[in-house]
Amino acid sequence: MKKRPVVVVTRRLPDVTETRLRELFDTRLNLEDKPLSAQELADAVKTADVLVPTITDEIDAAVLEQAGPNLKLIANFGNGVDNIDVSAAVAKGIAVTNTPGVLTEDTADMTMALILAVARRIPEGARVIPDGNWAGWSPTWMLGRRITGKRLGIVGMGRIGQALARRAKAFGLSIHYHNRRHVPPKIEAELEATYWESLDQMLARMDIVSVNCPHTPATYHLLSARRLKLMKPDAILVNTARGEIIDEGALTKLIEAGAIAGAGLDVFEEEPAVNPRLVRLARQGKVVLLPHMGSATHEGRVAMGEKVIVNIRAFVDGHKPPDRVLPSML
């Protein structure tokens, strides 16, 4: 009988995913759902045939150097692979896969929710009644900003950016985008989207900016201090991609100074740590902070698990995994 591959899973996954993994493979689960320590991660790569990490696991060259000879696949439970040194993995003959496409609608929903939350001051309003601070309706109290008729600049017009554009168009927003290249003419026409080759020029003219590009070495601090200063003082910035894409310190200073009106952030540079100054701004109602929950739906997590299983099965059966990631793709 063929030996079942050892699959090490670094965090708790949906029950249906864990059950199926145990049916198919010799699966080692993390029942406590605590991030693995450096030593535990080293032990995992030494013993596994397949590693199933998440975005909280830093699989860098130092970790990969400790990998045992049997580790041949890293099946990431996540859309991105910025937690994995893909080049180092491939150099050691280890394939890397991810779970693209299944989180598109969920993340676009949350991005649109953050745009509304910041513009209409929803979290502030939601606290008023529970805190016992409501004295009744007033014509000049808790005024937010109308989004209909405003310009939305999308940084990164991939699946999520396009899904956001469809939602935003229904809310009456004018769609603008910056991307490495034009989206197909049919999609651009459907979304009535305006392409900006210059990110600088787009940022200076938008009422709302949404970050929806992947985190790669090329996009680290893509929204730098210099670029953030180009934004209009009444503009808002939303990020549901990765915290490292924005210079968080510079953004905080600009909001504190009133040079940017506000922000909605679901991701942070030093997760799970959050800049205390951002927390203070949240208490003042100037930013909305969410704990990286843009893709957190039951349906999305189960779909991610299904992709992990498909990738592992294809690889174990000697086929090319459908979601393989290569250095040239990053």
Side-chain angles (χ1 to χ4, degrees):
M1 183 177 176
K2 187 178 178 181
K3 179 178 173 289
R4 298 202 303 172
V6 175
V7 176
V8 178
V9 183
T10 66
R11 297 295 295 269
R12 282 299 305 270
L13 302 183
D15 285 344
V16 63
T17 302
E18 291 187 341
T19 299
R20 189 65 178 139
L21 283 168
R22 293 189 68 178
E23 288 173 348
L24 294 169
F25 315 112
D26 181 1
T27 303
R28 319 284 168 83
L29 301 174
N30 179 353
L31 298 178
E32 294 184 1
D33 198 30
K34 293 179 181 176
L36 298 187
S37 66
Q39 184 57 55
E40 288 170 330
L41 199 53
D43 292 341
V45 298
K46 287 173 184 174
T47 58
D49 297 311
V50 178
L51 182 72
V52 181
T54 71
I55 60 169
T56 60
D57 302 300
E58 191 69 27
I59 314 297
D60 57 17
V63 171
L64 290 166
E65 274 302 311
Q66 302 177 74
N70 293 330
L71 181 62
K72 296 300 179 185
L73 174 64
I74 299 174
N76 202 42
F77 185 87
N79 188 52
V81 289
D82 47 310
N83 58 309
I84 301 168
D85 188 331
V86 177
S87 296
V90 171
K92 287 184 67 68
I94 302 169
V96 178
T97 62
N98 64 343
T99 61
V102 296
L103 307 177
T104 299
E105 303 303 326
D106 299 328
T107 307
D109 283 346
M110 189 61 84
T111 308
M112 197 67 223
L114 272 173
I115 290 171
L116 287 164
V118 177
R120 296 300 306 274
R121 303 174 65 178
I122 292 172
E124 284 181 88
R127 289 195 295 266
V128 169
I129 292 175
D131 290 348
N133 295 328
W134 193 38
W137 182 86
S138 166
T140 58
W141 186 62
M142 286 295 290
L143 301 184
R145 299 271 182 171
R146 177 184 295 168
I147 66 168
T148 301
K150 299 296 194 302
R151 292 183 182 137
L152 168 65
I154 299 173
V155 182
M157 199 63 149
R159 293 186 186 96
I160 295 170
Q162 291 173 32
L164 170 63
R166 292 187 180 93
R167 287 157 174 76
K169 186 169 177 282
F171 276 86
L173 284 154
S174 170
I175 308 302
H176 300 254
Y177 74 99
H178 170 77
N179 206 42
R180 285 182 294 180
R181 61 186 69 88
H182 278 270
V183 298
K186 182 178 179 182
I187 294 175
E188 199 171 77
E190 173 204 340
L191 299 173
E192 300 177 35
T194 300
Y195 174 71
W196 292 80
E197 184 175 355
S198 167
L199 176 58
D200 288 7
Q201 290 187 21
M202 185 182 82
L203 290 173
R205 292 164 174 82
M206 296 299 110
D207 302 298
I208 303 163
V209 173
S210 177
V211 177
N212 298 102
C213 60
H215 172 226
T216 68
T219 62
Y220 175 78
H221 280 194
L222 180 67
L223 270 66
S224 60
R226 180 190 67 78
R227 284 195 167 120
L228 290 169
K229 288 175 183 176
L230 298 173
M231 291 178 62
K232 301 195 300 182
D234 60 350
I236 64 173
L237 178 63
V238 170
N239 187 9
T240 54
R242 286 290 188 270
E244 295 89 341
I245 299 169
I246 297 175
D247 184 334
E248 196 174 273
L251 174 64
T252 303
K253 289 178 183 177
L254 288 166
I255 295 173
E256 288 172 337
I260 293 177
L265 306 175
D266 185 46
V267 288
F268 307 92
E269 276 204 70
E270 304 293 337
E271 290 185 26
V274 178
N275 187 330
R277 290 163 61 193
L278 274 178
V279 175
R280 187 160 57 247
L281 286 171
R283 292 197 176 106
Q284 295 169 3
K286 294 181 180 179
V287 300
V288 177
L289 308 178
L290 295 180
H292 203 144
M293 54 189 282
S295 63
T297 67
H298 292 288
E299 297 86 349
R301 293 288 187 257
V302 169
M304 290 169 73
E306 289 171 354
K307 275 193 170 280
V308 166
I309 291 168
V310 167
N311 283 314
I312 296 173
R313 290 195 70 175
F315 186 84
V316 169
D317 291 341
H319 304 298
K320 179 183 175 183
D323 301 308
R324 185 165 185 181
V325 180
L326 299 171
S328 59
M329 298 165 62
L330 303 176

